[in-house]
Amino acid sequence: MNYYQIAKDHFQYTVALRRDFHQHPELGFKENRTASIVARELTKMGLDVATGIGETGVVGSLQGEKSGPVLLLRFDMDALPIQEETGSEYASIYPQVMHACGHDGHVAIGLSVAKILSENRDQLQGQIKFVFQPGEEGLRGAERMISEGLLDHPRPDAALAVHLWNEKPVGWIGITEGYIMAAAEIVNIQVLGKGGHGALPHLAVDPVLAAADLVVTLQSITSRNVPPLESAAVSLTSMHAGDSFNVIPEEVALSGTIRTFSPKIRQLVLERFQQICDGVGQVYGCQVESQVEMLTPAVYNDRTITKRIYATASSFKPKREIDQQYRVMVSDDMAFILQEIPGTYCFVGSANPSMDLDAGHHHPCFDFDEEALVEAVGLVSSAATALLN
């Protein structure tokens, strides 16, 4: 079947959903309106629907005409705490809440794929679990759904997720074997010294100087400890100290993130991170207390399944650009699912600079070319059918 053409035929349905979700964004674990629409639509399609998984998560099960494997398709639902500045006719009606990462499109894609495949279930050999996930934006919603039985009854044999990607133009697709998105750590550091007068620094123990050294020295991990052909990022993004021009403060608070792909490099970076914190504290006579919290593991694409999806993408619209080397240091908690179930995470280009639709993800002006919805619906529908059959 030509699922790309079928996706084009369903375009108005997809766009209407996407714009409605965009106007009514909801933050993580507050996706009540979104979840109710998802459950309503899936029920109308004849799927078995379960709600309230991971608080606001929804799972719809579609059984094909013949028995076969079980496939999990994941679509995230949550918005971000950002004031929208697009000025579009379907802009968010809520202050300080915006779909600035494309999750409104993901929900619309998921419902469109469910509609298309439910109308063609005679072509399916097996079962599909459509997963509409809350709290992807740093809230570990996937992990929570897993803890509440997402991967049970029945357990999936394969998993697939797709992300609209404004770093690349419409028509581009990223399907990469192995690591494709990074593991993420949240870093918090407290540098404790002895306050004093700015004119008498010798009588104080200056935590600002120690913190400044930390900001600089921690960058040496990626430049001098990580092998050049490997990847890692250490970014300190926030620093809070005193509030007076002539007072050396008692403490400085730093925060940031660490990103890595392989477990070996992750362990190396974490060890060097702690060693540098301890060493800088000793050099400056400060107490340095660091906390590193794992937010999500790296996203790893199973090689066999990824090859099959690449072959499907190559055949359903041959002239498109398919990038097999694309990797990015951002993270996604789909990683928790892919730790348990072999699968693939794909990117679908969504930018169109000629229409001023190329703002970056998490930007107040983020929006995308809705033609990307057709690309994604066609790809996921084709890939799902191929993986089952």
Side-chain angles (χ1 to χ4, degrees), residues 140-387:
R140 302 169 77 155
E143 189 178 33
R144 185 163 174 182
M145 291 189 79
I146 291 171
S147 71
E148 296 185 19
L150 174 65
L151 304 183
D152 304 322
H153 313 300
R155 186 172 180 84
D157 298 291
L160 174 63
V162 65
H163 203 303
L164 298 172
W165 202 239
N166 249 29
E167 305 302 318
K168 296 291 183 177
V170 171
W172 175 93
I173 293 178
I175 304 176
T176 302
E177 298 177 23
Y179 291 109
I180 187 168
M181 300 180 83
E185 326 285 338
I186 300 174
V187 172
N188 288 289
I189 304 172
Q190 293 286 330
V191 184
L192 308 174
K194 177 183 176 183
H197 199 295
L200 303 169
H202 61 292
L203 300 179
V205 177
D206 190 353
V208 176
L209 184 59
D213 198 341
L214 278 173
V215 172
V216 174
T217 306
L218 287 172
Q219 308 307 312
S220 71
I221 297 175
T222 56
S223 65
R224 288 296 177 268
N225 298 124
V226 176
L229 297 182
E230 298 282 358
S231 298
V234 178
S235 296
L236 294 176
T237 58
S238 174
M239 177 186 288
H240 295 277
D243 54 12
S244 178
F245 81 97
N246 62 351
V247 177
I248 295 173
E250 293 281 338
E251 63 181 271
V252 177
L254 302 167
S255 61
T257 187
I258 295 172
R259 303 296 171 107
T260 53
F261 286 120
S262 76
K264 179 180 178 181
I265 296 300
R266 176 177 179 267
Q267 186 60 39
L268 168 66
V269 172
L270 293 180
E271 289 176 358
R272 286 296 294 142
F273 183 89
Q274 188 59 55
Q275 291 167 358
I276 289 171
C277 286
D278 293 342
V280 168
Q282 292 176 3
V283 168
Y284 291 97
C286 293
Q287 181 180 347
V288 178
E289 300 175 353
S290 63
Q291 292 181 326
V292 179
E293 176 188 357
M294 194 274 284
L295 182 62
T296 177
V299 176
Y300 183 86
N301 283 348
D302 177 83
R303 298 186 184 281
T304 300
I305 293 173
T306 302
K307 286 181 184 297
R308 294 177 65 184
I309 294 175
Y310 173 80
T312 300
S314 299
S315 63
F316 98 92
K317 198 179 177 191
K319 292 184 179 181
R320 70 167 25 83
E321 178 189 354
I322 303 178
D323 190 339
Q324 294 182 275
Q325 301 298 323
Y326 189 76
R327 292 178 173 84
V328 63
M329 295 300 286
V330 299
S331 62
D332 191 297
D333 70 357
M334 180 67 184
F336 287 107
I337 294 174
L338 294 180
Q339 275 192 327
E340 301 288 333
I341 306 296
T344 299
Y345 189 111
C346 304
F347 291 107
V348 173
S350 56
N352 189 335
S354 67
M355 299 171 64
D356 291 327
L357 297 174
D358 58 351
H361 294 264
H362 296 207
H363 190 280
C365 292
F366 177 86
D367 200 357
F368 59 84
D369 186 340
E370 290 172 328
E371 180 63 28
L373 297 170
V374 176
E375 299 277 333
V377 171
L379 173 63
V380 177
S381 299
S382 299
T385 304
L387 288 173

Side-chain angles (χ1 to χ4, degrees), residues 1 64-66 117-125 389:
M1 296 184 69
E65 293 252 332
K66 300 178 181 178
L117 295 183
S118 66
E119 292 170 352
N120 296 277
R121 69 177 68 205
D122 61 319
Q123 302 293 316
L124 300 180
Q125 184 174 309
N389 297 345

Side-chain angles (χ1 to χ4, degrees), residues 6-26:
I6 296 173
K8 291 180 70 173
D9 295 340
H10 286 74
F11 182 64
Q12 292 306 318
Y13 174 79
T14 311
V15 168
L17 286 170
R18 182 262 162 159
R19 293 190 176 190
D20 179 70
F21 292 135
H22 192 91
Q23 277 194 303
H24 304 88
E26 296 171 301

